[in-house]
Amino acid sequence: MSTLAPLRLLREPWNTSKGNQSNVTTVGSSTWCQGLDIPNEFFLTLGLVSLMENLLVVAAILKNRNLHSPMYYFICCLAISDMLVSVSNLVETLFMLLMEHGMLVIRASIVRHMNNVIDMLTCSSVVSSLSFLGVIAVDRYITIFYALRYHSIMTLQRAVVTMASVWLASTISSTVFIIYYRNNAILLCLISFFLFMLVLMLVLYIHMFALARHHLRSMSSQQKQPVYRSSSLKGAVTLTILL
């Protein structure tokens, strides 16, 4: 299976052989995509930029002792997940560039195995990234609604268990997805997981935003001062960025 199959169709060197052109005809009758040429160097640059950004996040959290808390550990894991996606993209793009320029010759069987490994790494990273986004939302929810009990609920031990569980579940599920990718049930599971995480984050952040808005109104009524719309606007912008 190739999770980047549509992307590879766009990145395929169309003029390398007649066999490629016949494959394109088999895939679909539309020929407009043959004129779309996206250089591999573009994807290589994107991968490098994303890798450096996530490395900076991880380094900042690890070096700053004030950030050694469950919340920032979850953010660090999220950055690592995104970093693994960048690494898999960099490795794949680098091999494609080397093979296109004739600097590297690999047997087809080895290429297939490498492709499966890269796909598994990409799938695992995406699943773990979505999972940690959900974990961060739950963590923020506990912080707001159970502020006094937060440190007893989200202990360091529970945070470590949560992180390890997410990584383990992501690795196992991605392996199953890659092996049985032709099964419709697998596709349904992926879509259901994505929708579940999206709904979970929407519900939690909307609830938190509603509480913050109610809190601002109560403060305004007690102090008999108007609540400026800019406060609500900033909250809305923050919510949008988080989602």
Side-chain angles (χ1 to χ4, degrees), residues 32 95 178:
W32 66 270
F95 274 102
I178 297 302

Side-chain angles (χ1 to χ4, degrees), residues 55-68 72-73 76 80:
L55 279 176
L56 289 175
V57 173
V58 174
I61 294 176
L62 293 180
K63 289 186 176 182
N64 193 341
R65 293 185 178 181
N66 296 327
L67 302 181
H68 290 180
Y72 290 103
Y73 288 151
C76 183
I80 293 174

Side-chain angles (χ1 to χ4, degrees), residues 34-70:
Q34 295 185 19
L36 184 59
D37 185 16
I38 302 178
N40 288 324
E41 290 79 4
F42 174 76
F43 295 97
L44 186 64
T45 303
L46 286 180
L48 287 172
V49 172
S50 178
L51 179 62
M52 292 303 300
E53 290 177 348
N54 289 291
L55 279 176
L56 289 175
V57 173
V58 174
I61 294 176
L62 293 180
K63 289 186 176 182
N64 193 341
R65 293 185 178 181
N66 296 327
L67 302 181
H68 290 180
S69 62

Side-chain angles (χ1 to χ4, degrees), residues 2 17 24 32 54 66 77-78 80 86 90 120 139 141-142 146 150 187 210 219 242:
S2 175
S17 64
V24 174
W32 66 270
N54 289 291
N66 296 327
C77 289
L78 176 63
I80 293 174
S86 303
L90 284 173
M120 187 179 69
D139 179 77
Y141 186 86
I142 297 175
Y146 303 94
Y150 174 77
L187 180 61
M219 290 177 60
L242 288 173

